[in-house]
Amino acid sequence: MTHSTQFTEHSLFENYKQHCNAQHIEYLRRYGLLKIIKEASCAEIIDSNNKSYIDFVAGYGIFNIGHNHPKVIRELIRELDSNSGWNRPFLNEPHINFMHALVDITGGKMDKVFICSTGAEAVDTALKFTRLITGKSHIISATGAFHGYTIGAISVSGIPRQVTPFAPLLTDITHVPYGDIDALKNEITDKTAAVILEPVQAEIGAIDPPKGYMKKVNELCNEKEVLFIVDEVRTGVGRTGTFFAVQEEGFYPDMLIAGKSLGGGIVPVGALLTTSKHWKRFEYSFAMSASSFAGNRLTSVAGMKVLEIMKDENILHNAVTIGNVLKEGFGVLVEKFPHLYSKLTGRGMLLGLHCRSKLITDKVVQGCVEKGLLIAPAFCNPACILIEPPLVLSEEQVDNGLEIINDVCSNIN
């Protein structure tokens, strides 16, 4: 019979090293993050020593509406108390409401929805779906892309250090320079099934393509009769100031993928949105939508509540306002410390602060965490600090955070 063991903080970390990942422990130790968290709300985190942190990480993009939003928690508790549970093979009302609400966000332009458990699962679903629709397997992605850790998602990712350990991967994948419309055009053939891109490449440091690039890709794909898949797992749910980043450029692709913060950071969720034009083949293979946890009640209840909160609390407006303040503040920082930083990239509340070296990144992150500002390096670019706070961040928290990082930078030779 199993039972819960009471660990000291030290023994807790040692057990994690033993049973899971020793390198993860060393990563946390290096940046002063080997802590136990006592509580978190909105954009503030408090550890077991009652030290408070302003959060500029948002759980790597899952807490767009803030940590532990009370409305999501209350709704989940109410759902669990109702004893309705999960009831396959029957359908459930929250699932249908959630799908309908996502369709409404696109103005009905994307009128078919598949709800699953993660963004990476949604990416794999899109790749399978592409083969069903086109009968082809050639996929074009971008260098620097990151689409998740399932085998299909890794195969279309374009960061060698992340993907080569898992080779051999799916074949018939081509990677082109991100933002180069001519390079993409040159790789499209009559055997190409789809192009998959992110509106902003988060994992290598919030790299933004040239303005209008995504819309040009959409037009090119329409012209060449190739499917266009846009991965908005990171940029969706308001991160760039509109619910989906593609809305800024006034188009919708053939397939749109969401995840991460769509479940409020509490319940895992992924979503694939597409159109009736492409849906028939998926319906013929409807068992794909019968995945064990696809559209389960808890996911759908949480997702619906997140969408309500986004609207009722005017979170998109705050994302635009605070995003502008953040970008201006970090822009000043880059100008003030040119020996530390080379550039600032990204948009909205997804920014990349590019350091002159990994050593500088380490010093800045360590100093900021020590002073109560939670920041972290980009996973696939250790010479860049990725700034992606909860969208509910206040202007006062921005000012305090910038003051901390400015102070840290002033003390780095």
Side-chain angles (χ1 to χ4, degrees), residues 164-387:
T164 50
F166 304 103
L169 304 171
L170 296 184
T171 58
D172 218 6
I173 309 292
T174 301
H175 290 92
V176 298
Y178 184 60
D180 188 335
I181 192 72
D182 292 328
L184 174 61
K185 187 174 183 178
N186 290 338
E187 293 295 340
I188 294 178
T189 71
D190 57 2
K191 296 181 179 180
T192 302
V195 174
I196 181 169
L197 296 171
E198 303 157 277
V200 179
Q201 290 188 327
E203 293 294 357
I204 60 168
I207 302 300
D208 224 356
K211 193 171 179 61
Y213 169 71
M214 295 293 285
K215 189 171 185 177
K216 288 179 182 177
V217 173
N218 191 60
E219 292 167 354
L220 177 63
C221 288
N222 287 337
E223 176 191 335
K224 299 291 186 180
E225 297 184 340
V226 168
L227 298 177
F228 187 24
I229 306 165
V230 177
D231 180 350
E232 294 231 26
V233 171
R234 205 60 166 262
T235 56
V237 198
R239 177 58 56 186
T240 64
T242 50
F243 194 90
F244 292 116
V246 294
Q247 293 171 321
E248 295 178 51
E249 296 190 45
F251 79 93
Y252 288 99
D254 296 290
M255 284 180 260
L256 190 59
I257 295 166
K260 280 192 180 290
S261 60
L262 197 55
I266 300 172
V267 176
V269 60
L272 169 66
L273 286 76
T274 186
T275 67
S276 297
K277 175 183 176 182
H278 301 309
W279 197 251
K280 276 294 180 186
R281 291 299 301 274
F282 189 84
E283 287 187 345
Y284 295 150
S285 301
F286 82 95
M288 281 174 63
S289 63
S291 174
S292 298
F293 288 95
N296 70 80
R297 291 184 68 100
L298 285 180
T299 289
S300 302
V301 163
M304 263 310 288
K305 187 54 65 174
V306 168
L307 300 187
E308 289 177 16
I309 290 166
M310 294 290 294
K311 181 179 179 181
D312 294 346
E313 299 184 11
N314 211 11
I315 286 177
L316 290 178
H317 175 75
N318 197 65
V320 172
T321 304
I322 297 301
N324 289 336
V325 175
L326 272 173
K327 192 159 192 175
E328 181 180 351
F330 278 105
V332 170
L333 195 77
V334 170
E335 291 179 5
K336 184 175 179 181
F337 301 101
H339 60 296
L340 300 180
Y341 305 111
S342 60
K343 60 183 177 180
L344 181 71
T345 58
R347 57 183 146 133
M349 295 181 74
L350 182 59
L351 303 175
L353 183 61
H354 294 259
C355 303
R356 296 287 179 184
S357 70
K358 179 184 179 298
L359 179 61
I360 292 171
T361 302
D362 288 354
K363 285 182 176 293
V364 173
V365 172
Q366 289 161 359
C368 286
V369 170
E370 187 177 333
K371 290 177 177 293
L373 173 64
L374 181 60
I375 56 174
F379 266 148
C380 300
N381 183 359
C384 179
I385 298 168
L386 195 62
I387 309 296

Side-chain angles (χ1 to χ4, degrees), residues 54 60 81 87 109 128 156 192 202 256 274 288 375 381:
I54 302 168
Y60 304 114
D81 284 343
N87 42 36
K109 299 287 197 313
K128 290 185 290 186
V156 293
T192 302
L256 190 59
T274 186
M288 281 174 63
I375 56 174
N381 183 359

Side-chain angles (χ1 to χ4, degrees), residues 35-53:
K35 315 279 187 180
I36 298 296
I37 299 307
K38 185 174 71 172
E39 60 182 282
S41 64
C42 293
E44 182 184 20
I45 299 172
I46 300 173
D47 69 21
S48 57
N49 295 318
N50 289 319
K51 181 175 180 176
S52 176
Y53 305 84

Side-chain angles (χ1 to χ4, degrees), residues 119-168:
E121 183 186 356
V123 170
D124 269 24
T125 301
L127 297 178
K128 290 185 290 186
F129 196 9
T130 293
R131 292 188 175 190
L132 281 175
I133 296 168
T134 67
K136 303 173 184 178
S137 61
H138 180 224
I139 305 290
I140 300 176
S141 182
T143 54
F146 182 78
H147 296 288
Y149 282 115
T150 54
I151 198 68
I154 282 182
S155 297
V156 293
S157 294
I159 305 169
R161 61 179 285 190
Q162 294 295 107
V163 304
T164 50
F166 304 103

